[in-house]
């Protein structure tokens, strides 16, 4: 039977895993990409990691997420992470839109989901976690991209996409990269480069807004304005620059960055989805172990794909069918969780891990 998971590693991670396998203590950073409903395929792997594999850990673990990745990791940081993930799943599935929603309506729905699994005490609990350190990516908008009015924002987004097609660094004229970070320790990836950069300390007063901003897709959701502790302005989806986190993770020597992902391709920024030759830095992936469902596994799913944001259009007016499909994807994710635990506990990961394909990095 074909493997359900693929295991790709950068040079440093590959050498470490082939020599000694992989234990939870080997991991110092966990990365979570943007991707909306794609997270459902990883929901049970998340529970296996935070509720089992990392259980009992005493050394700090840095979690870096963009958009839905940050929302997943916020659940990890609750006192009972497995229950928090269950609450997140239930609230996320319970999305219904009778007609194409406005940005304000999607924003309100996102806040409902967030409240369902964080609760009133969530921000303080997250920042009091004894081991996990939450970090989430966002962007601060520049020029016209700071406005929500569609006749203004839409052309601004098109211009930023065109600029990105010429050179990724040109996104810096439109957006400032923002890292909202647990203030207790400086994360190893704090020295991000290539874009204007702002690091903001997470607090109980701004954590909810920081999470919301991290997933606020332009034209789909409203921007988040004037977050306490951050520069004045409008904040939006961190995936605009850091879709799949092409950043210098910089874990300590001999340690690994674990990246549970939705698929084989690492896409640097959201606009790069349509630029197949735009690849992440080989240097940035040096310490990374990427774990993702294999193409064969995905092909066996209903519709031959994982859940994504297009499903709202595909099943418009047929939410019951969408839920059947999404729950099938969720159930299939249990296979991935079991496969991961078997590989790391048995040591067979040493024989399964492979280098990143040469054409997938630069």
């Amino acid at each position: 039977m074909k493997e359900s998971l693929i295991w790709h590693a950068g040079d440093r991670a590959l050498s470490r895993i082939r020599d000694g396998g992989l234990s939870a203590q080997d991991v110092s950073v966990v990365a979570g990409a943007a991707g909306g409903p794609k997270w459902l395929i990883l929901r049970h792997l998340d529970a296996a990691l935070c509720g089992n594999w990392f259980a009992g850990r005493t050394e700090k673990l840095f979690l870096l997420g963009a958009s839905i990745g940050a929302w997943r990791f916020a659940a990890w940081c609750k006192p009972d992470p497995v229950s928090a993930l269950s609450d997140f799943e239930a609230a996320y599935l319970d999305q219904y839109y009778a007609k194409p929603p406005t940005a304000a309506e999607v924003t309100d729905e996102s806040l409902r989901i967030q409240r369902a699994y964080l609760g009133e005490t969530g921000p303080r609990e997250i920042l009091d976690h004894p081991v996990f350190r939450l970090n989430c990516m966002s962007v601060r908008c520049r020029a016209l991209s700071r406005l929500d009015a569609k006749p203004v924002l839409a052309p601004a987004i098109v211009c930023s996409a065109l600029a990105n097609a010429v050179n990724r660094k040109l996104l810096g004229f439109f957006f400032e990269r923002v890292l909202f970070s647990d203030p207790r320790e400086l994360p190893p990836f704090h020295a991000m480069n290539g874009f204007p950069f702002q690091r903001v300390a997470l607090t109980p007063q701004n954590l909810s807004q920081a999470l919301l901003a991290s997933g606020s897709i332009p034209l789909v959701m409203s921007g988040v304005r004037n977050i306490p502790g951050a520069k004045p302005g409008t904040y939006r989806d961190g995936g605009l620059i850091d879709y799949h986190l092409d950043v210098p993770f910089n874990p300590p020597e001999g340690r690994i960055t674990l990246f549970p992902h939705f698929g084989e391709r690492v896409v640097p920024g959201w606009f790069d989805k349509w630029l197949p030759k735009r690849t992440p830095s080989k240097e940035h992936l040096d310490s990374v172990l990427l774990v993702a469902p294999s193409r064969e596994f995905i092909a066996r799913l209903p519709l031959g794909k994982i859940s994504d944001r297009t499903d709202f259009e595909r099943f418009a007016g047929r939410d019951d069918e969408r839920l059947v499909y999404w729950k099938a994807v969720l159930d299939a994710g249990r296979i991935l969780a079991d496969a991961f635990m078997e590989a790391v506990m048995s040591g067979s990961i040493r024989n399964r891990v492979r280098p990143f394909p040469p054409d997938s990095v630069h």
Side-chain angles (χ1 to χ4, degrees), residues 242-298:
D242 295 298
Y243 191 52
H244 292 168
L245 300 171
D246 180 15
V247 301
F249 293 104
N250 296 327
E253 186 66 31
R255 299 301 181 89
I256 284 170
T257 297
L258 176 64
F259 187 0
H261 195 28
F262 319 119
E264 296 182 52
R265 187 184 174 201
V266 176
V267 182
W270 190 76
F271 297 117
D272 298 325
K273 292 192 294 183
W274 300 279
L275 302 173
K277 292 185 179 180
R278 186 68 57 83
T279 57
S281 164
K282 186 175 188 292
E283 181 181 0
H284 289 171
L285 295 179
D286 191 39
S287 69
V288 171
L289 169 64
L290 182 145
V291 182
S294 67
R295 294 180 184 180
E296 293 81 7
F297 177 87
I298 293 174

Side-chain angles (χ1 to χ4, degrees), residues 29-231:
V29 177
V30 184
K38 294 176 184 177
W39 86 277
L40 297 174
I41 195 65
L42 300 179
R43 177 260 187 270
H44 290 291
L45 177 56
D46 276 356
L49 292 172
C50 66
N52 184 354
W53 203 48
F54 289 123
R57 183 186 177 105
T58 57
E59 184 180 356
K60 60 183 173 290
L61 182 68
F62 294 96
L63 310 175
L64 177 62
S67 193
I68 202 69
W71 287 55
R72 291 162 51 207
F73 291 154
W76 282 38
C77 296
K78 291 276 288 179
D80 185 345
V82 176
S83 292
L85 283 168
S86 294
D87 292 340
F88 183 21
E89 172 197 320
Y92 198 88
L93 291 178
D94 192 29
Q95 291 185 75
Y96 299 96
Y97 303 102
K99 59 183 180 180
T102 65
E105 289 170 338
V106 178
T107 300
D108 288 344
E109 187 70 356
S110 298
L111 284 169
R112 178 194 64 80
I113 294 169
Q114 186 186 108
R115 287 192 295 266
Y117 79 99
L118 290 190
E120 292 184 4
T121 59
R124 169 51 64 192
E125 291 168 342
I126 289 168
L127 294 174
D128 283 343
H129 196 283
V131 172
F132 295 162
R133 301 292 184 263
L134 178 66
N135 299 266
C136 55
M137 302 302 305
S138 182
V139 298
R140 177 175 175 264
C141 297
R142 296 180 156 193
L144 296 179
S145 65
R146 73 186 189 279
L147 302 175
D148 277 336
K150 191 171 183 178
V152 178
L153 180 57
I157 295 299
V158 170
C159 288
S160 60
L162 293 173
N164 177 76
V166 175
N167 189 316
R168 175 165 153 77
K169 290 185 177 180
L170 293 178
L171 281 178
F173 288 105
F174 300 88
F175 308 107
E176 175 184 4
R177 175 187 259 161
V178 183
L179 173 66
F180 287 97
S181 178
D182 188 309
R184 288 175 288 179
E185 282 94 14
L186 192 66
F189 39 77
H190 73 278
M192 298 182 184
N193 50 24
F195 296 96
F197 179 69
Q198 176 190 179
R199 178 171 173 259
V200 181
L202 284 170
T203 68
Q205 291 72 40
N206 70 14
L207 190 144
S208 174
Q209 289 169 279
L211 278 178
L212 185 65
S214 184
S216 292
I217 305 167
L219 302 172
V220 176
M221 295 174 62
S222 305
V224 181
R225 290 179 173 79
N226 302 328
I227 299 175
K231 294 178 186 177

